[in-house]
Structure formats: C-alpha cells, structure tokens
Amino acid sequence: MVLVTDEMREQYRDEGYFVLERVLTDEQLELLRGGARYSIDKLDAAFDEAGVDRIGINARGKRYFSTMIYKDRPELREFLFGDTMAEICRATLGADAYLFWEQYVIKAADPDTSFAWHQDSGYVHEDHEPYLTCWIALDEVTEENGAVYLLPYSRSGIRSYVKHIPDPVRNDRVAYFGSDPGIPMTAPAGSIVVFSSVVLHRSGPNLTDRLRRVYLAQYSGEIIMTKDGSEPSGSFERFLVDGRVAPELAGGS
C-alpha cells in the first residue's frame, strides 16, 4: 500500500508539508514511547548532576529536548531506518538520504511550554539545502496540549532560510513576528507531520495534566557541515543510496 500519495508529494513541494494520520503500528508506538521515558530520566539526571533546573532550552518538569537517544537505545534504529521512514524520505528528499538528527520533544503539564516561531534550519546555519523533519506524535496532539502550528509557504511567503533572533529569556530562536497564528497540526497518536526545515512553525503550551510526547526524526539529502566546515553538524549515517536502503543497514544485501 502506498503511504505517501501523489497529492501529498505535491503539497510538500508547494506548501512544505503533509500529514500521515495513524501510520505507526502499536509496536512502533511502544518502541518510541520507551525511548521517551528514557530521555526524560537522562535529562533529569543531568539537571541533578549540574544542580540546575535549566540546561539550554530544557527546563526540568516543563520541557525536554533529548537528542541522539538512538545511540543509547539502539533498538530505535529499527524505526529510524525502517520502511516507513524510507518511503517518506524517497517522497521528499529523493533517492539519497542521511539521518541528520534525532530527538524527543516532551512537554509536561505547564503553561510555560510554548515554543517560538522558527525554522528547523534556524538551528543549523544558512548554508545548506532544506532537510526533512518528521514530527511524530506519541500521544494524541490537541491545541490544549501543545500542537505544532505551521505556516505553509503560501501564507508565510518564505521558502528558504531566514535570520533568527535569540530570545534572551527562553533561549529560543525566533524568525517570525507577524500575526498569522498558523495551522494547528492536531492528530491522533501514531501520526506523522512531515515538513521541510524551512517551514516556519511554533508550538503552544501544554495546558493539560498529561505529557505531550513527540519524536523528531530528521533526514537530509546531503551531509550538512558545521558553519566552519570542520565536521558534520549531525549524525549523517547513510540511509538511502540511489533509492535503496544503504548496504550497511541492509546487512550487505
């Protein structure tokens, strides 16, 4: 069965995003939720060790951004380099793809958990081709618990990297100060919001009494180097080569 339709491909090209509802299996959800629990525990331990309640954009009991958890939990590779993500990458990036970045974004029940308008590219630098973000809902996402809001290309007028201004209090990077609220991406658990790294987006606070857990898997069609060109700026394990899963991932077949 085709996961990404021609209409979705066209929408990604014209507006920068599409949504796949309820595409994860129960087993995949259980796998990713286990990683979410681990990611919270890991950051809480880091807070304890440093004797602080904030590290970068992380805030104890409020919001957690845990990166490269798959390196601690290798079982996550089954999902990151599996058939679902392969089809999404082919439909958006083309025949070649690398795993660029991976992280959990978890919001606890707290009104101070919103995230400012930004592009994912704004957390890299201006000299790269747009990459792919797969925003994977591990819980039902509503406007009350912190949905992501997108500004499609036709509403923002922006299709490339723009300068971001740091927020001195929250450590967010901000790229849009207009009045358009964006389109809320409300979705059931197991859904994937697929969007380009140059699409402007934000997320609201979690005003409920339960966690809102999201898994981010990001892929690129090229190796993005750091701004000084000294090293890759992310993971960059090969995933697709000429449309096929890289031999090292497929057991050499």
Side-chain angles (χ1 to χ4, degrees):
M1 184 175 66
V2 174
L3 181 68
V4 181
T5 66
D6 289 342
E7 290 77 15
M8 290 174 179
R9 291 171 186 260
E10 182 178 355
Q11 182 172 314
Y12 187 85
R13 183 187 68 239
D14 295 344
E15 296 288 12
Y17 81 100
F18 60 85
V19 180
L20 297 167
E21 286 204 0
R22 301 183 189 274
V23 293
L24 268 62
T25 65
D26 291 342
E27 291 76 15
Q28 288 173 325
L29 265 177
E30 182 179 356
L31 174 70
L32 298 185
R33 286 170 174 169
R37 180 67 263 169
Y38 172 85
S39 72
I40 292 174
D41 292 342
K42 183 178 181 179
L43 265 173
D44 279 344
F47 290 135
D48 290 342
E49 183 177 356
V52 297
D53 290 323
R54 278 186 179 267
I55 299 175
I57 59 176
N58 297 285
R60 185 198 297 267
K62 295 183 178 181
R63 61 182 189 176
Y64 294 83
F65 295 80
S66 300
T67 63
M68 301 305 187
I69 295 299
Y70 85 102
K71 294 186 176 181
D72 293 348
R73 309 272 294 199
E75 65 270 21
L76 293 173
R77 298 175 64 87
E78 178 183 342
F79 177 80
L80 290 169
F81 298 112
D83 292 342
T84 299
M85 305 316 291
E87 182 170 345
I88 293 171
C89 285
R90 290 188 193 100
T92 55
L93 297 174
D96 299 297
Y98 298 83
L99 176 66
F100 168 39
W101 200 253
E102 173 258 34
Q103 70 178 14
Y104 282 92
V105 181
I106 299 169
K107 294 186 176 187
D110 191 285
D112 184 30
T113 51
S114 61
F115 206 68
W117 282 113
H118 66 285
Q119 299 169 313
D120 286 341
S121 285
Y123 283 84
V124 186
H125 54 73
E126 68 275 14
D127 189 21
H128 66 272
E129 290 297 317
Y131 55 91
L132 169 69
T133 292
C134 296
W135 195 92
I136 304 163
L138 305 185
D139 304 290
E140 180 183 6
V141 177
T142 67
E143 291 192 69
E144 290 72 32
N145 73 359
V148 66
Y149 294 74
L150 303 186
L151 271 183
Y153 295 150
S154 62
R155 285 171 62 161
S156 70
I158 295 171
R159 303 176 68 102
S160 60
Y161 175 96
V162 295
K163 183 177 180 180
H164 288 59
I165 298 173
D167 183 305
V169 176
R170 302 171 60 89
N171 296 315
D172 296 357
R173 298 183 186 182
V174 189
Y176 177 71
F177 299 89
S179 59
D180 192 326
I183 303 172
M185 298 288 110
T186 57
S191 300
I192 306 177
V193 183
V194 179
F195 58 94
S196 168
S197 67
V198 294
V199 167
L200 285 165
H201 58 287
R202 67 178 178 92
S203 63
N206 184 356
L207 302 179
T208 71
D209 59 358
R210 303 183 67 181
L211 292 177
R212 190 231 64 182
R213 298 168 294 180
V214 166
Y215 188 54
L216 283 184
Q218 297 177 313
Y219 301 85
S220 174
E222 62 175 356
I223 297 178
I224 301 173
M225 303 299 289
T226 54
K227 192 172 180 62
D228 64 6
S230 62
E231 60 183 354
S233 62
S235 172
F236 294 108
E237 288 193 53
R238 289 202 309 174
F239 183 19
L240 300 180
V241 180
D242 293 330
R244 300 173 66 88
V245 173
E248 60 268 30
L249 298 173
S253 60

